[in-house]
Amino acid sequence: MSETRPGYEAWLRYAPVADGERLAEYRRAFASVAFAGGGEAFASAVSELERGLSGLLGIACRASVGASAPNRDRGPGGATAFFGLSKTLASSFPEESAKADSLGGEGFVLRFSSASGRLVLVSASDRGLLYGVFRLLSLIRRGCALADIDIAEAPKVPLRMLDHWDNIDGSVERGYAGLSLFFSDGRLRADDGRWEDYARLLASVGINAICPNNVNVHAAETRLITEEGLPSLARLAAVLRRWGIKLYLSVNYASPMELGGLGGADPLDPAVADFWKRRADLIYSSIADFGGFVVKADSEHRPGPFTYGRDHAQGANMLARALEPYGGLVIWRCFVYNCMQDWRDRSIDRARAAYDHFLPLDGRFADNVVLQIKNGPVDFQAREPVSPLFGSLKATNMALELQATQEYTGQQRHLCFLVPQWREYLDFETCARPGGEGSTLKRIIEGRVFKGPRCAIAAVANTGDSDCWTGHPLAQANLFGFGKLAWDPDSGSEEICSEWIDLSFDLDAAGKEALASMLLSSWRAYESYTAPLGVGWMVNPNHHYGPNVDGYEYSPWGTYHYADREGVGVDRTRKTGSGYAGQYLGRNAETYESLADCPDELLLFFHHVPYSHRLHSGKSVIQHIYDSHFEGAEAAERFRSQWDSLKGQVDDAVFELAAARLREQSESAREWRDQINTYFYRKSGIADEKGRKIYP
Ligand code: GCV
């Protein structure tokens, strides 16, 4: 299937190793391969190794598979590479097996011994074995010397999830990569092999859970958890299971009414609790390892417990009790705010909402409830501060929700590599611990600061049925990068970027450098030609693509910039504004509150300032707006020529596809530049110091 679909293999290309010496070394190491173990993902690990070695080394690896310990000795009948579960390899490789056991269910030990010439991969589980095989294949693809292979690792975040916003008619809310991979025409699609390929791709970067349907659960999707919907979902779950991925579902909070014929969905009504208990029994009778529910309640017109005068702890805990006997989770979203705000009413600040709703409930959620919190307080803008719920919630399981689908970051028509943005969020020090150190966002979602075992990271998926999965071939880097960061939130942007490039393309050194430079500068470029200094929005309403400075200014959505002839920005200080800055802890509250200390890139998120206000950079706000918009548009133009320099080194169809998108990006960036610059020139009447063309 892949041959006819440009970009389909993504980073699992397994293109032949070119270095002859290395090739010979690898071929020797895999002359005879022994596998020992079992489990759902075990067969996937075996087949992936065979597939990978055939592509990379051109050898048909003769994996001998058995449930018992293979013969460790070399020589006739002995193997050169051993892959197995710790319980089966314990007698042959005691040290590696003990280490693997200490790493838990998803960890692995991968080691080559130069003395014996043997390679061993051990894990306590079949899933860990699968992750180890993918790691080994990526090392081979990148030309790593066998003698350097000595890895013992486990994922740092237990639940690593992709949330699809797919509707059962096949459309995808905020989807920019074609139609749904899962649904079409009101039902689950027939599996044409793509689910398996998708699951492989996700497993290769350690993703271990997906939710296939939109958090906005409409009438038809509500029926997924019925006798008619579940058998087909069980088909999907079976494919995912082979790749260590659990299936979750978004559910409609009003299901007791829509499916159960009840008069309401009050979480304290025993009939409602009973409805969900019976529903859980039904679901688990079809999908024994079902992950749980994702719930968007009392948000953007979705039903929820507020209707019954109940709070979200009562709502979530009622569902949690139904899933608890099966080990299921309730992933309860904190994206709760008033979307019917009167723009005239300056006392309401949407940014405050999640904290105001959820902080008072800290400690009241059941153990199998995880609160899923968007990275920022508003909605996945190019730049937002980290949600102040992180650090403030101390007795609640938390999931960080990122958005890989580029709703507000160019809709996969613009190149915007989001890993550097996510890195900044993950490194944010929440100041939750006394002394204000040791409580970064990454440590919180690893479960190392507060309540932990169920902490999670999730991204809204950027995939669909487009040939290359992500619409824009270079947007694959965001999917790859999300998996890598979820596995290890300390991974660096440069390292993720260069690994993705190495695995996905065959570029010479200059080509690698050009592509890395494009990717690594793309988020800041996007930020600089769109809404300035953290103020956000300024996009066309509804579809959110392209500039429209006042598009949301007089709307009910709570997304304003308050530009007038004197200045721009939202006063969120305690002293004179909405008080949002006070939701942060310790020095963060002080920093954001203070006009003098607030970082430039978030200035207009926290303060309303005159255009003449001096930034830390030394520029006035208006000059920054002009400069950044000229520079951003220039960067987008530069991306085109950088990409052009790769012609001939990249598959033609992939090259053309990306080239067309980069052309569109540079045109769109010019439009952003001119609309934003003209708007602020007209408002302020202040000319560009550098005398560049600003349309009057
Ligand atoms: C799924 C934003 C998006 C909506 C999305 C919502 C959410 O408002 O524009 O499309 O709905 O976030 O995260 O629930």
Side-chain angles (χ1 to χ4, degrees):
M1 167 177 330
S2 57
E3 291 314 309
T4 53
R5 298 177 180 227
Y8 187 82
E9 289 171 317
W11 55 87
L12 296 180
R13 284 175 63 240
Y14 299 143
V17 170
D19 177 338
E21 231 172 89
R22 208 47 109 219
L23 185 61
E25 180 191 347
Y26 292 149
R27 281 182 172 165
R28 271 196 304 279
F30 296 103
S32 167
V33 173
F35 263 99
E40 286 278 353
F42 182 76
S44 306
V46 178
S47 70
E48 194 63 29
L49 189 80
E50 290 175 343
R51 178 179 188 153
L53 294 184
S54 140
L56 292 161
L57 310 182
I59 57 172
C61 105
R62 300 180 303 278
S64 64
V65 177
S68 57
N71 176 7
R72 170 190 173 125
D73 301 323
R74 290 194 73 184
T80 50
F82 298 81
F83 297 79
L85 299 180
S86 47
K87 63 177 187 233
T88 43
L89 289 190
S91 55
S92 319
F93 295 94
E95 194 194 321
E96 288 84 355
S97 300
K99 179 77 194 161
D101 283 341
S102 74
L103 293 171
E106 294 184 305
F108 61 84
V109 173
L110 175 62
R111 187 172 284 173
F112 180 79
S113 155
S114 302
S116 66
R118 273 193 300 258
L119 181 104
V120 61
L121 171 66
V122 199
S123 171
S125 81
D126 53 340
R127 285 176 303 145
L129 214 51
L130 182 62
Y131 296 140
V133 163
F134 278 117
R135 175 61 60 84
L136 173 65
L137 294 172
S138 80
L139 292 170
I140 295 176
R141 163 80 182 139
R142 300 186 80 196
C144 176
L146 282 173
D148 291 340
I149 297 182
D150 187 3
I151 298 174
E153 67 175 53
K156 292 184 182 163
V157 184
L159 182 60
R160 306 172 300 280
M161 182 158 181
L162 269 188
D163 290 344
H164 288 261
W165 286 353
D166 295 13
N167 301 314
I168 205 163
D169 64 2
S171 62
V172 180
E173 181 155 348
R174 311 306 179 188
Y176 314 105
L179 297 172
S180 171
L181 285 164
F182 306 111
F183 306 105
S184 104
D185 296 330
R187 60 174 68 87
L188 213 69
R189 285 169 84 136
D191 179 17
D192 58 358
R194 250 195 121 148
W195 290 350
E196 189 92 25
D197 290 339
Y198 188 51
R200 271 181 72 226
L201 212 52
L202 302 189
S204 74
V205 287
I207 288 165
N208 64 2
I210 68 165
C211 179
N213 68 313
N214 192 353
V215 287
N216 291 325
V217 187
H218 310 288
E221 292 87 6
T222 301
R223 303 201 61 75
L224 283 171
I225 51 168
T226 60
E227 283 91 345
E228 66 200 81
L230 286 165
S232 53
L233 284 167
R235 273 196 292 124
L236 174 60
V239 174
L240 298 173
R241 189 177 301 122
R242 293 201 284 275
W243 297 90
I245 299 169
K246 273 195 183 187
L247 181 82
Y248 286 67
L249 284 176
S250 295
V251 294
N252 179 350
Y253 190 80
S255 296
M257 301 156 78
E258 295 190 23
L259 300 178
L262 299 183
D266 181 349
L268 300 195
D269 177 349
V272 169
D274 186 58
F275 165 87
W276 283 110
K277 198 195 147 316
R278 282 182 292 110
R279 207 45 59 163
D281 296 342
L282 185 68
I283 295 169
Y284 281 92
S285 69
S286 289
I287 307 170
D289 61 348
F290 178 67
F293 296 149
V294 178
V295 190
K296 173 175 178 176
D298 291 316
S299 166
E300 299 184 333
H301 311 295
R302 304 314 302 155
F306 285 165
T307 308
Y308 311 95
R310 312 297 182 197
D311 64 35
H312 279 218
Q314 291 167 314
N317 290 347
M318 180 271 297
L319 292 177
R321 276 191 294 276
L323 298 182
E324 197 272 332
Y326 299 101
L329 300 184
V330 173
I331 314 264
W332 188 271
R333 297 177 82 232
C334 294
F335 186 58
V336 177
Y337 70 100
N338 174 6
C339 66
M340 299 293 284
Q341 175 175 341
D342 182 348
W343 61 268
R344 300 166 194 84
D345 182 352
R346 298 286 282 259
S347 70
I348 309 173
D349 178 7
R350 170 172 166 178
R352 294 188 56 110
Y355 181 102
D356 286 343
H357 283 301
F358 286 93
L359 194 71
L361 305 179
D362 192 21
R364 285 192 38 215
F365 290 94
D367 275 351
N368 59 331
V369 173
V370 180
L371 289 191
Q372 183 159 296
I373 305 163
K374 287 192 180 184
N375 56 253
V378 187
D379 198 8
F380 301 131
Q381 299 302 289
R383 171 78 66 172
E384 280 185 50
V386 165
S387 167
L389 273 175
F390 291 113
S392 295
L393 285 175
K394 293 184 166 51
T396 303
N397 297 310
M398 279 165 274
L400 165 66
E401 181 177 333
L402 302 168
Q403 195 182 44
T405 194
Q406 292 173 232
E407 176 178 2
Y408 297 102
T409 50
Q411 307 201 346
Q412 279 135 262
R413 289 145 83 177
H414 293 217
L415 171 64
C416 188
F417 179 52
L418 290 163
V419 168
Q421 184 205 54
W422 297 337
R423 268 250 57 85
E424 284 197 17
Y425 295 144
L426 289 166
D427 290 337
F428 177 74
E429 176 50 75
T430 65
C431 296
R433 281 205 165 135
E437 299 301 331
S439 42
T440 49
L441 174 54
K442 63 190 172 194
R443 297 286 97 89
I444 289 175
I445 59 154
E446 287 168 9
R448 287 164 63 181
V449 180
F450 307 117
K451 190 166 174 169
R454 303 218 192 266
C455 285
I457 184 167
V460 184
N462 63 348
T463 42
D465 73 352
S466 81
D467 284 351
C468 69
W469 305 98
T470 50
H472 194 318
L474 302 181
Q476 287 179 356
N478 286 331
L479 182 62
F480 179 86
F482 168 69
K484 288 281 164 182
L485 279 181
W487 179 274
D488 180 3
D490 285 307
S491 318
S493 302
E494 286 82 6
E495 171 51 23
I496 291 175
C497 177
S498 81
E499 185 177 355
W500 179 75
I501 291 174
D502 288 350
L503 299 180
S504 307
F505 301 98
D506 278 298
L507 303 179
D508 61 21
K512 285 182 188 181
E513 204 182 308
L515 186 50
S517 146
M518 290 170 68
L519 287 163
L520 292 168
S521 59
S522 58
W523 163 53
R524 284 191 180 275
Y526 187 84
E527 178 183 19
S528 59
Y529 61 74
T530 53
L533 298 167
V535 76
W537 305 93
M538 301 192 173
V539 285
N540 281 303
N542 306 321
H543 61 71
H544 299 164
Y545 185 76
N548 186 341
V549 183
D550 285 338
Y552 273 109
E553 199 54 17
Y554 307 101
S555 78
W557 294 94
T559 48
Y560 315 119
H561 55 67
Y562 301 126
D564 57 26
R565 65 182 185 166
E566 308 295 340
V568 56
V570 189
D571 185 351
R572 293 192 159 109
T573 63
R574 279 170 293 191
K575 230 185 256 155
T576 52
S578 72
Y580 167 78
Q583 292 185 341
Y584 288 87
L585 299 168
R587 65 174 184 273
N588 289 331
E590 304 314 319
T591 303
Y592 292 143
E593 177 79 14
S594 154
L595 189 52
D597 297 336
C598 185
D600 286 350
E601 64 273 14
L602 285 171
L603 183 73
L604 302 184
F605 193 93
F606 285 100
H607 297 272
H608 185 89
V609 297
Y611 295 113
S612 57
H613 175 83
R614 287 277 149 202
L615 299 170
H616 297 288
S617 68
K619 290 180 186 179
S620 65
V621 164
I622 191 72
Q623 195 55 41
H624 172 92
I625 292 176
Y626 297 150
D627 286 354
S628 60
H629 285 78
F630 282 110
E631 285 159 14
E634 278 160 25
E637 189 59 37
R638 195 165 54 246
F639 295 158
R640 286 181 60 183
S641 52
Q642 286 176 306
W643 183 250
D644 281 346
S645 75
L646 305 183
K647 196 170 173 60
Q649 295 194 59
V650 174
D651 169 88
D652 285 344
V654 171
F655 179 85
E656 292 306 336
L657 189 55
R661 303 222 168 198
L662 290 163
R663 265 196 307 280
E664 173 172 351
Q665 177 171 9
S666 74
E667 280 155 27
S668 171
R670 274 203 305 277
E671 192 59 32
W672 270 100
R673 176 196 69 192
D674 292 338
Q675 286 205 26
I676 299 281
N677 283 349
T678 292
Y679 180 94
F680 284 103
Y681 173 65
R682 287 183 186 167
K683 281 267 173 203
S684 69
I686 302 173
D688 172 30
E689 277 170 6
K690 298 179 185 156
R692 290 161 294 193
K693 177 79 187 168
I694 293 182
Y695 297 86

